[in-house]
Amino acid sequence: MSVLSAYRLVRRSSASRKVAVLAPLGALVATIVLNLCLYLAMGKDAGAVFHAMLVEPLVSWSSFSEVLLKMTPLLLIAQGLAIGFRANVVNIGAEGQFILGAIFAASIPVWFPQATGGWIWPLMLLLGGIGGALWAVVPAFWRVRLNASEILVTLMMSLIATQLLAYLLVGPWKDPMGFNFPQSVMFQMDATLPLLIPGTRVNVALVLALVVTLAAWVYMQRSFQGYQLVVGGLAPQASAYAGFAESRAVWLSLLIGGFAAGLAGAAEVAGPLGQLQRSVASGYGYAAIIVAYLGGLNPIGILFSSLLIAILYIGGDNAMVSAELPVAAVRVFQGSLLVCYLAAITLVRYRLVRVKSEVRA
Amino acid sequence: MNALTFVLAGMLAAAMPFLLAALGELLAERSGVMNLGIEGMMAVGAVIAFLSVHHFGTHTLGFLLAGLAGAALSLVFAWLALTLRANQVAAGLAIGILGQGLSALFGKSYESRTVAGLPKLSIPSLSEIPVVGGLFSQDAVVWLGLLATLTIWAALRFTKLGLVIRAVGENPSAARSLGYPVIAIRYSCVMFGGLMAGFAGAYAATVYTPLWADGMIAGRGWIALALVVFATWMTGRVFFGAVLFGAVSLAQLAAQAGGVNLNSQLLASLPYIVTILVLGVISSNRRLLKVNGVASLGKTYIP
């Protein structure tokens, strides 16, 4: 404390662009150092972990393609969430919206396993988006009409979604030939996404995520509605004065966020998984919150942060195999990265000024 | 033992994880700071307590270390939110995710292991009354939890310290001009919240269900956050809300044991569904929230 209290934060007249770029990098370096210390304390070979986590995912095309695959849902979800976060609508329930998207998409191959045709996977994606958006209707209604915090309601909806998924997989949607595993039937060929790059598992959802990123960027930079959402977040009174309804911002944010998360969920079951299973809910919805903040709630920033978090996921898997690092270490890394980032971006808005008059030992 | 006796005897114990965490958050929010990281601080408290009890066999040390761990995490949150003026929502979420990760990491090799719980301390004669007698036979932490509830209630209501905390939450600038150190008071309240969340996690993992399972907090930290809103920031109502949730989670067990033919996933979702419904009912009463709410809650204070 004494070190800090010798300094004072003084607000900059305008946010520093240079620091805005340097802060995330500084935070990343600090996080890497902190976590390597943790691995050392756990008795791991820190150098080997570092190599497995942050170098290996990038050196071979096959592992980098897995990074791209992992990046897709994170990018999709985070772009949707950031729209809400910018408007002060804190949707932390993307995990549940993602699960509902997966469930809605799976309904077609589960109910119509014989169906064929090129229309199936696009319809599944659409259904997934709708499922995610529907799951976000409750928190939107609760916030707009009942004045309830969307933070708590979206989270509760996620916990319910996990139970709903479990119910379907041990009950009506369980594969009768699946040796009692909690999973659905394998989807037929036409109910899986076309591959984008031959020889890898990267599918068309990556293109979708990039299109959504572009749309989010245009939406934020150019469109009037994006402007409304930004104003609604920064100054509710000013936006009310300008005639922008706060409730519209809430509805739009949650429906778009839910749709994007649902789309990601659909792409996950119709993509790498090829069936509905418990592990579809593996925390993308929570990791995407980190991705969104880490990207500075900016669509282009989110492109980079989703890539980084995806590298960490694949690298974490590598480190689990090669250095016996528990998977939970990835979550610790993600959490500490956000902590370091939040600390670092203070310097974008404030300058550290040394207090000279005080003499401290 | 019929279902009513079962619920009456166990609801205070079931309520403790909610109650302890919510009391801590209540104080933090009364001072104007919303810490969304409760779930993570509880998870860390739970794992630290479990490891200590597993290795040293003493609950006192386990609770102490768990409380310290919770307080340490909340100190990081306070540093971000109060000193560095970061967004309180983002800082709370970051601490929550970090805490849950640390909990999973430390607890990894203890999955499914068990420790001994705590013995019940009974009030003679009262605990022998049929049906309600079970209420008077509780472990030491429940008795201390009840004492803590009374103390916090009295402190907020009758003491100068309570008045200062409420003033800091209501109008930090005015409190500062009266000479109160707003940031220091908020730091203390947030760290008290972390301490209590650590205790809450310790109780969940080493007394209520003395068995380690990753993710065992299972949303109870989030329900504790919701309880503070349900209670419209009043200590007595936090207590009743926590006991209500304790009773609901036990009734769920009693129903399953009694062979009630209800789907187990639906039963598990019950606390979350109840939370959403109650949140809607209480929050829609805007006047109540305005009268009892904390004016500066969640807003960054710049001295």
Side-chain angles (χ1 to χ4, degrees), chain A residues 254-275:
Chain A
L254 278 161
L255 290 180
I256 294 173
F259 192 92
L263 204 59
E268 194 67 12
V269 284
L273 295 183
Q275 69 182 155

Side-chain angles (χ1 to χ4, degrees), chain A residues 33-44:
Chain A
V33 171
L34 276 175
N35 280 273
L36 287 182
C37 291
L38 177 69
Y39 306 148
L40 272 178
M42 287 165 62
K44 307 282 175 202

Side-chain angles (χ1 to χ4, degrees), chain A residues 4 9 90 92 142 146-148 155-157 159-160 163 167 293 326 328 331-332 338-339 342-343 346 349-350, chain B residues 79-80 83-85 90-91 94 98 100-102 104-105 108 222 263 265 268-269 272-273 276 280 283-284 286 302:
Chain A
L4 261 177
L9 292 173
V90 186
I92 59 171
W142 252 242
L146 304 177
N147 189 35
L155 189 99
M156 293 294 146
M157 292 298 286
L159 297 173
I160 297 171
Q163 296 297 330
Y167 162 72
Y293 280 118
R331 281 156 72 192
V332 174
L338 186 54
V339 168
L342 289 174
T346 300
R349 286 171 300 136
Y350 297 93
Chain B
W79 179 64
L80 286 176
T83 300
L84 297 182
R85 298 170 199 166
L98 177 62
Q100 285 174 279
L102 287 172
L105 190 65
K108 191 175 171 276
W222 291 100
N263 174 283
Q265 284 85 22
S269 312
Y272 315 136
I273 297 172
I276 292 178
S283 306
S284 62
R286 286 168 202 255
I302 299 170

Side-chain angles (χ1 to χ4, degrees), chain B residues 25-131:
Chain B
E25 177 68 12
L26 173 73
L27 218 65
E29 293 199 8
R30 275 292 197 161
S31 80
V33 188
M34 187 165 60
N35 183 353
L36 292 181
I38 301 284
E39 182 87 4
M41 300 190 305
M42 280 179 76
V44 167
V47 78
I48 296 288
F50 190 89
L51 294 191
S52 324
V53 176
H54 191 271
H55 288 291
F56 307 115
T58 140
H59 278 80
T60 315
L61 181 69
F63 270 75
L64 208 65
L65 293 177
L68 284 178
L73 261 188
S74 69
L75 179 64
V76 178
F77 165 79
W79 179 64
L80 286 176
L82 301 175
T83 300
L84 297 182
R85 298 170 199 166
N87 177 340
Q88 277 183 24
V89 169
L93 291 174
I95 292 301
I97 293 168
L98 177 62
Q100 285 174 279
L102 287 172
S103 173
L105 190 65
F106 295 152
K108 191 175 171 276
S109 41
Y110 294 84
E111 195 71 24
S112 306
R113 297 216 191 167
T114 56
V115 292
L118 278 179
K120 299 260 189 260
L121 307 174
S122 305
I123 300 180
S125 66
L126 278 179
S127 57
E128 282 138 41
I129 306 171
V131 188

Side-chain angles (χ1 to χ4, degrees), chain A residues 24 71 75 78-79 86 213 217 220 290-308 341:
Chain A
M71 172 185 168
L75 182 57
Q79 294 294 7
R86 286 198 297 267
T213 302
W217 184 76
M220 190 184 81
I290 299 181
V291 171
Y293 280 118
L294 215 56
L297 303 183
N298 177 302
I300 305 302
I302 289 170
L303 191 65
F304 290 104
S305 59
S306 64
L307 182 66
L308 173 65
Y341 173 74

Side-chain angles (χ1 to χ4, degrees), chain B residues 161-225:
Chain B
L161 177 69
L163 187 70
V164 171
I165 290 173
R166 284 185 296 158
V168 164
E170 213 48 48
N171 190 338
S173 310
R176 183 182 147 92
S177 54
L178 287 173
Y180 294 112
V182 172
I183 297 292
I185 289 167
R186 287 187 168 178
Y187 256 95
S188 318
C189 289
V190 167
M191 287 182 68
F192 178 76
L195 180 83
M196 292 295 274
F199 289 159
Y203 190 83
T206 65
V207 185
Y208 186 56
T209 41
L211 168 134
W212 184 253
D214 184 25
M216 67 162 323
I217 300 301
R220 280 181 281 190
W222 291 100
I223 292 180
L225 270 163

